[in-house]
Amino acid sequence: MMDYDIIVIGGGHAGCEAAHAAARLSMRTALITMELDALARMSCNPSIGGPAKGHLTREIDALGGLQGAVTDATYVNLRMLNTGKGASVQALRAQSDRKAYSREMKRRLAAAGGITLIEGEAISLETRRCFTAKTASPSQTQPLEVCGIQLADGRCYTATRVVVCPGTFARGRCFVGHEQYVGGRLDERSAEHLSTSLDSCGLPLHRLKTGTSPRVDRRSVDYTALSPQLSEWREEGFEVYAPAMLPAWFLPCWLTRTTADTHELIMSRQQESALISGLISGAGPRYCPSIEDKLRRFPETTGHPVFIEPDGLDAEVLYLQGLSTSLSLDVQRGFLSTIPGLEHAVIVKPGYAVEYDAINPIELLPDLECRRIAGLYCAGQFNGTSGYEEAAAQGLVAGANASLSLLGRAPLPLARENSYIGVLIDDLTTRGTTEPYRMLTARAEHRLLLRHDNAALRLGPIASDWGLLTAAQCRALDELRQRVVSVQAELTTRNVSIEQQCRLGVKDKHPRGLKAVDLVRRGFAAGEVLAVAGGASAMGAGGGSYLAQSAQKHVEVEVQYAGYLERARSESERIKQYAKMAIPPDFDFSQLSSLLKATREHLGRLRPASIGQAARVPGVTPADLANLIVALQKRRKA
Ligand SMILES: Cc1cc2nc3c(=O)[nH]c(=O)nc-3n(C[C@H](O)[C@H](O)[C@H](O)COP(=O)(O)OP(=O)(O)OC[C@H]3O[C@@H](n4cnc5c(N)ncnc54)[C@H](O)[C@@H]3O)c2cc1C
């Protein structure tokens, strides 16, 4: 008998979710990490969410994962972003207490049952020949399967499923200007040996880099020069089945901007950046560039925003979001002195860059299992992504799918049409990535359908069927679904009298009354209309529970965006229907005159083999696909 069903290597955001998902599926799980007190430690600023990332966190919660709940239990500042924009891009963003986040994650993993937490460094993967692997690529004559791991201190553990999530630690190197240190994060050890073992199993590795901003002493900042970003007081957090606990204390974040002097100083000393001097060779995150990179790429921007964020309730440290850098400490001190509010800021920890080993996720199957090594799953930063949310989402999927394969069950049915997580996994495993991948709302072609407000309704049924939810979460999901039905019914049947219209402040009043749903269509909040019109069953006993409010919000969005949603759904259906339609290898994309020239050239270069593949080519819109389908149909007829 194997020591464990599943072994997870790495206690970062990916590893913690992987172990938790495995435990939910009743696997005997070992989580092996170099420092148990650093579980889910946030390497950069302790912030979760924002557009697309916040959607991922809600989806993780809908699938029974931990990130949303741990954030809700430890945040000190929470805001809904983009409230002035459309429903598809609205998302929560939380500033957590870094230490509390890590502690809370450890507490929840310990409470989950079935997870053995082991401190140690995994140095090698034990494999054996496998003749039945579904993963064998045609070029491979001796596919391998995993059977265990070895730790640096000699301990060995057996398992037929191993989830590898080493983050930025695999041969990690940190850079501050021309100084170089061995480490997965500044002041932390790197994992030097695991890469060699993976390499010898035939898994190709490459180098990527990411960076972080300087941290400053909070007593050295001049707050009178800054704009405060206050927390909102809201019951709804990242958890979809339960209300967030309101914290005892809120802390403000602050906003300032770089100046012309900042830019001049950085540009004149840019050769002191490890990135620009060529000391770092790995590709960095395009959508989270260092300040020196931003100034080169956007020379016309006069002031880049700098968000000043607390590290936690009792922390003396503030994080400077937007100033990620690998410039020397001396230059960092210099450029801070040119930014309003930070003129006298004392650096507690410098900004730095880290370079590490990663795989190209094209090496993985859609369930995140390695094509070359059966039973080996990979997740997180190691797969070429950047961000806590992206890491956690992959961890959940890898941990769940590794468990489901042991149970002889199908993997989680996550796809581009039902989730951001589906978009993430599909992008990674079908297109691969050679630079750190970050989730953006623009990556999801069905983003109006993948909203923050409907995460539980989209993914809850899958999570429940696949055994990822607790009994309480299943009950909450059922209640939510019932409440949605009853809110819909209340809105369509309730009549709002003239007197009630006056109370609501309706401008175009109707003497014979109006349907509640018509007022919601005009932009009134569903909860407010039902409260005035007396929709008792929709409000729930006691005037409106968290789930009742979630149901109202959801129905409100569905009513207000009904036209757009209908179009998005029919486009999604059409694309699904046509996804398998083959594009002949000699198809001439340059003839598609209705497409942008750049799109035609891009398609001509990449030569997608089907409409499904063409749909995933960056820049190809649903309208482009419609034109392509018509052209293919014409060609067939001809
Ligand atoms: C300097 C820096 C700046 C960043 N900036 C941002 C940012 O601004 N925003 C953002 O969203 N993300 C940022 N990130 C990325 C973010 O930290 C990662 O995306 C996220 O933490 C990845 O999670 P993970 O679980 O994949 O890996 P990590 O969080 O890196 O965790 C890896 C874990 O694995 C353990 N481990 C590694 N190898 C072994 C081994 N062989 N044996 C046992 N244990 C092992 C480590 O001890 C660690 O606990 C930054 C990262 C760094 C390092």
Side-chain angles (χ1 to χ4, degrees):
M1 176 161 153
M2 295 283 162
D3 293 329
Y4 295 100
D5 298 320
I6 311 261
I7 293 176
V8 178
I9 301 175
H13 303 268
C16 290
E17 293 290 352
H20 182 254
R24 272 278 160 93
L25 290 165
S26 307
M27 296 289 114
R28 293 173 306 122
T29 307
L31 174 56
I32 297 173
T33 194
M34 298 210 287
E35 197 186 330
L36 279 178
D37 282 337
L39 283 174
R41 179 175 284 171
M42 302 203 189
S43 315
C44 203
N45 59 332
S47 141
I48 295 284
K53 285 169 169 278
H55 290 77
L56 284 173
T57 307
R58 291 273 290 188
E59 289 182 0
I60 291 166
D61 195 78
L63 290 167
L66 286 177
Q67 185 169 65
V70 174
T71 305
D72 283 357
T74 60
Y75 74 81
V76 293
N77 187 301
L78 181 73
R79 292 190 306 133
M80 181 65 92
L81 304 186
N82 290 337
T83 45
K85 296 189 184 164
S88 62
V89 293
Q90 293 180 16
L92 284 173
R93 182 198 181 277
Q95 182 74 15
S96 273
D97 180 305
R98 183 193 307 272
K99 284 190 192 145
Y101 188 96
S102 195
R103 267 198 315 269
E104 180 68 12
M105 183 63 83
K106 190 173 181 185
R107 188 186 72 74
R108 286 183 187 244
L109 286 177
I115 304 176
T116 309
L117 297 173
I118 299 172
E119 198 163 78
E121 179 188 343
I123 57 164
S124 96
L125 198 66
E126 304 297 313
T127 56
R128 60 189 173 207
R129 281 188 190 185
C130 149
F131 297 102
T132 54
K134 63 171 179 175
T135 49
S137 73
S139 61
Q140 213 176 335
T141 50
Q142 294 178 323
L144 298 171
E145 70 182 0
V146 72
C147 54
I149 61 147
Q150 194 190 339
L151 302 193
D153 60 11
R155 281 177 289 172
C156 291
Y157 299 104
T158 55
T160 56
R161 300 291 183 275
V162 173
V163 186
V164 175
C165 327
T168 55
F169 286 70
R171 282 197 287 235
R173 299 288 178 274
C174 298
F175 299 86
V176 184
H178 296 309
E179 313 266 345
Q180 191 181 143
Y181 311 87
V182 173
R185 285 185 284 238
L186 206 59
D187 306 327
E188 285 181 57
R189 284 189 304 135
S190 70
E192 289 296 301
H193 305 288
L194 189 63
S195 299
T196 316
S197 168
L198 294 169
D199 206 29
S200 66
C201 293
L203 199 59
L205 302 172
H206 63 136
R207 300 290 278 171
L208 292 179
K209 83 114 197 164
T210 187
T212 188
S213 306
R215 276 87 157 156
V216 298
D217 187 322
R218 74 171 171 197
R219 290 160 301 193
S220 63
V221 171
D222 173 11
Y223 297 93
T224 58
L226 307 176
S227 331
Q229 309 260 298
L230 301 179
S231 178
E232 288 165 8
W233 181 271
R234 50 186 320 134
E235 198 183 4
E236 176 202 36
F238 285 102
E239 283 176 274
V240 298
Y241 304 113
M245 273 183 301
L246 285 173
W249 302 97
F250 290 119
L251 292 179
C253 297
W254 306 85
L255 177 62
T256 183
R257 284 185 178 273
T258 56
T259 61
D261 288 345
T262 322
H263 299 190
E264 199 183 316
L265 178 73
I266 293 176
M267 291 308 280
S268 68
R269 307 275 301 266
Q270 52 176 311
Q271 279 312 319
E272 291 173 52
S273 154
L275 180 69
I276 290 168
S277 69
L279 210 55
I280 297 178
S281 58
R286 181 186 304 228
Y287 299 103
C288 204
S290 62
I291 184 67
E292 51 269 31
D293 212 9
K294 271 193 268 192
L295 296 187
R296 279 153 61 108
R297 280 167 46 188
F298 310 106
E300 67 291 349
T301 308
T302 48
H304 289 281
V306 178
F307 292 93
I308 304 177
E309 300 167 335
D311 213 51
L313 265 184
D314 59 357
E316 298 297 316
V317 178
L318 294 174
Y319 181 85
L320 306 179
Q321 162 79 357
L323 289 179
S324 164
T325 183
S326 61
L327 282 158
S328 67
L329 183 55
D330 182 36
V331 183
Q332 294 186 33
R333 284 199 191 105
F335 75 64
L336 287 191
S337 72
T338 64
I339 299 175
L342 300 176
E343 293 89 342
H344 306 291
V346 174
I347 295 181
V348 177
K349 196 172 190 178
Y352 66 96
V354 58
E355 198 180 34
Y356 52 94
D357 286 340
I359 57 164
N360 186 332
I362 200 92
E363 288 292 328
L364 305 175
L365 293 161
D367 61 356
L368 295 185
E369 185 179 17
C370 267
R371 290 178 190 275
R372 301 176 194 237
I373 310 165
L376 181 70
Y377 291 72
C378 299
Q381 191 101 0
F382 185 61
N383 283 357
T385 59
S386 167
Y388 311 127
E389 302 82 353
E390 289 83 348
Q394 292 168 68
L396 186 151
V397 171
N401 285 340
S403 313
L404 291 165
S405 83
L406 265 185
L407 296 168
R409 294 186 57 193
L412 291 176
L414 300 176
R416 303 187 77 85
E417 301 79 46
N418 65 14
S419 58
Y420 272 89
I421 302 183
V423 173
L424 171 72
I425 306 280
D426 187 61
D427 278 351
L428 293 178
T429 58
T430 62
R431 303 219 308 250
T433 179
T434 49
E435 61 180 40
Y437 173 106
R438 180 188 163 172
M439 183 45 78
L440 306 166
T441 48
R443 296 195 194 273
E445 48 284 77
H446 310 292
R447 59 185 166 276
L448 197 50
L449 307 178
L450 310 182
R451 298 182 316 272
H452 190 275
D453 65 88
N454 66 2
L457 294 160
R458 275 187 283 124
L459 300 178
I462 294 176
S464 158
D465 288 352
W466 262 254
L468 288 170
L469 297 187
T470 60
Q473 287 174 323
C474 287
R475 278 196 303 278
L477 176 65
D478 285 343
E479 185 183 335
L480 178 65
R481 293 164 93 179
Q482 281 163 22
R483 283 190 179 277
V484 166
V485 173
S486 80
V487 173
Q488 283 164 337
E490 294 276 0
L491 285 179
T492 41
T493 52
R494 288 265 153 201
N495 202 46
V496 185
S497 68
I498 182 82
E499 182 260 320
Q500 289 166 336
Q501 291 172 46
C502 288
R503 275 167 55 204
L504 283 164
V506 176
K507 283 204 183 108
D508 270 340
K509 289 187 258 315
H510 208 289
R512 272 185 292 166
L514 278 167
K515 282 271 173 286
V517 71
D518 290 329
L519 286 174
V520 175
R521 238 175 245 134
R522 288 193 198 177
F524 283 87
E528 202 186 340
V529 174
L530 288 177
V532 171
S537 62
M539 296 300 291
S545 71
Y546 170 72
L547 292 171
Q549 286 170 30
S550 300
Q552 284 159 12
K553 182 71 205 160
H554 168 69
V555 176
E556 183 182 301
V557 174
E558 291 275 324
V559 168
Q560 287 170 355
Y561 287 81
Y564 298 106
L565 285 167
E566 203 180 300
R567 207 173 316 146
R569 283 192 183 108
S570 68
E571 258 165 22
S572 159
E573 272 311 308
R574 210 154 54 100
I575 292 175
K576 235 192 288 173
Q577 220 180 324
Y578 284 112
K580 291 197 181 108
M581 188 176 197
I583 304 177
D586 61 343
F587 185 79
D588 186 2
F589 289 98
S590 68
Q591 297 299 312
L592 293 168
S593 52
S594 50
L595 269 62
L596 289 176
K597 189 162 173 263
T599 312
R600 272 182 271 154
E601 285 172 0
H602 207 37
L603 285 167
R605 248 192 330 272
L606 292 173
R607 306 221 61 84
S610 65
I611 290 291
Q613 279 186 9
R616 293 194 281 277
V617 171
V620 173
T621 63
D624 294 339
L625 290 177
N627 286 319
L628 183 53
I629 289 166
V630 171
L632 287 169
Q633 284 170 333
K634 269 193 195 154
R635 184 182 146 127
R636 267 192 199 170
K637 272 192 198 144

